[in-house]
Amino acid sequence: MSEEIAIKVRGLTTAYGTHTVHEGLDLDVMKGEVLGVIGPSGTGKSVLLRAIVGLKPPETGTVEVFDQNVTDLSGDDLREVQNLWGIMFQDGALFSNLTVRENVMVPMREHTDLPEPLMKQLADQKLRMSGLDDSAGPKFPSDLSGGMRKRAALARALALDPPILFLDEPTAGLDPITAAGFDTLVRELQSALSLTVFLVTHDVDTLVATCDRIAVLGRKKVIAAGTIEELRRNDDPWIQDYFCGPRGRAAQAGES
C-alpha cells in the first residue's frame, strides 16, 4: 500500500427525496489497499459505492479518482474515466441471456474496438484468472452454481484491466468454504495485479482475510477507519459489538 490516494471523497451528501443517506462524508482510499466498508443496515454502504462510480449523483461534495474530479462528469467524459474501475455488484448482475464468456466481453464491446477473436481470448483469460475453467465460458449464468456466478462476475469486473475494483457484498449467500475461497482469490488478485479494492461487506471473516483497513459508516458519515486492531480499541458501541462480540472473536481466532 502506497501513500498515494486513489479515491478521495470530500463533503459527500447523498439523498433519496427527503431522506438523507450521507451528510458531509469524507473518505480516503489509498492506492494498493483493500479497504473494507462496513456499518449497520441502512447506513448507505452500497449507496456510497454507487456515488463514487457515478451511478448515484450526490447532492453536494466531490469524488476524485487518481486526482480526477469525477463528480460532475457525464457522457463520454464519464465513460472514459469509468475505465479506471471494474464493479462486481451484490448479486453478480450477469445478463441471463448471454453466455458467461459474452458477459465478460460486454465491457470490451462498450469501451474498446478489439476484434471479436481477441475479445473471446481475453474473456477466457479473465475467467481462468477468476478460478473458472474453459468449460464455463459457453455456459449461461443459470448453469452455474452461486460461487461460480460470483467468479464470473469478478471476471467481468476485471475485463478492462482496471486499477480499481469495487466489490459489493461479494460473499453474500455463499457457504463458508466457498466464501473463504473467494476471499483468498480476491487477496491473490489484488497482490498480483496491484489492485486498489473497495469492498462493501457485512462478513467479519472476509474483513479478516482480505482487508488492510476498514471504514465504518454510521450517523451519515465515516465514524472510524483503521486496521482491525485499531478498530477493536474504538469505544463506539456498535464497533465494539462487531469486532469484540462472539463472531468477531471467532473470526480473529481462526486467522491466528
Side-chain angles (χ1 to χ4, degrees):
M1 185 173 67
S2 74
E3 296 301 314
E4 180 182 352
I5 298 175
I7 302 169
K8 180 187 292 185
V9 181
R10 291 292 182 271
L12 185 76
T13 297
T14 62
Y16 288 96
T18 59
H19 174 61
T20 300
V21 182
H22 307 115
E23 189 169 23
L25 182 149
D26 295 335
L27 177 67
D28 290 336
V29 183
M30 310 307 293
K31 181 181 178 182
E33 78 169 333
V34 180
L35 179 78
V37 179
I38 66 172
S41 178
T43 51
K45 300 179 289 295
S46 296
V47 176
L48 176 58
L49 185 158
R50 294 172 66 85
I52 292 172
V53 302
L55 295 176
K56 170 58 181 169
E59 303 297 311
T60 61
T62 60
V63 176
E64 294 182 9
V65 178
F66 292 123
D67 296 323
Q68 296 187 65
N69 188 336
V70 303
T71 311
D72 298 322
L73 295 180
S74 60
D76 290 341
D77 292 332
L78 179 59
R79 281 189 287 273
E80 182 176 349
V81 78
Q82 284 173 337
N83 290 339
L84 292 172
W85 57 72
I87 309 172
M88 178 184 162
F89 293 102
Q90 185 172 151
D91 58 357
L94 297 172
F95 296 105
S96 61
N97 61 328
L98 299 179
T99 67
V100 171
R101 179 188 293 118
E102 289 168 341
N103 266 279
V104 179
M105 291 166 60
V106 167
M108 303 180 199
R109 295 190 191 281
E110 291 182 349
H111 296 281
T112 76
D113 296 318
L114 295 173
E116 185 85 4
L118 181 55
M119 284 195 289
K120 290 181 178 178
Q121 291 178 22
L122 291 172
D124 288 343
Q125 179 190 58
K126 302 304 179 186
L127 288 168
R128 287 192 292 271
M129 286 172 54
S130 300
L132 295 173
D133 60 38
D134 291 344
S135 66
K139 295 180 179 178
F140 288 90
S142 59
D143 299 325
L144 304 182
S145 67
M148 293 174 72
R149 285 196 296 271
K150 298 272 191 179
R151 289 173 183 261
L154 178 61
R156 187 176 62 182
L158 295 170
L160 300 178
D161 297 316
I164 300 175
L165 184 61
F166 290 93
L167 305 176
D168 191 359
E169 297 282 8
T171 58
L174 299 182
D175 66 82
I177 294 175
T178 304
F182 195 93
D183 291 339
T184 299
L185 174 64
V186 168
R187 192 75 240 193
E188 289 174 347
L189 287 172
Q190 185 277 329
S191 178
L193 303 176
S194 299
L195 295 168
T196 301
V197 181
F198 182 103
L199 190 159
V200 173
T201 188
H202 68 281
D203 192 333
V204 67
D205 292 319
T206 293
L207 296 174
V208 171
T210 63
C211 295
D212 299 300
R213 288 193 311 131
I214 298 160
V216 185
L217 301 189
R219 302 185 289 279
K220 302 179 183 180
K221 301 180 186 297
V222 175
I223 59 173
T227 65
I228 288 180
E229 284 306 315
E230 289 169 340
L231 291 177
R232 284 172 65 88
R233 296 192 293 270
N234 190 296
D235 59 7
D236 179 89
W238 188 88
I239 296 175
Q240 277 292 306
D241 187 55
Y242 189 92
F243 287 105
C244 300
R247 291 186 66 189
R249 292 197 304 270
Q252 290 206 288
E255 185 72 6
S256 62

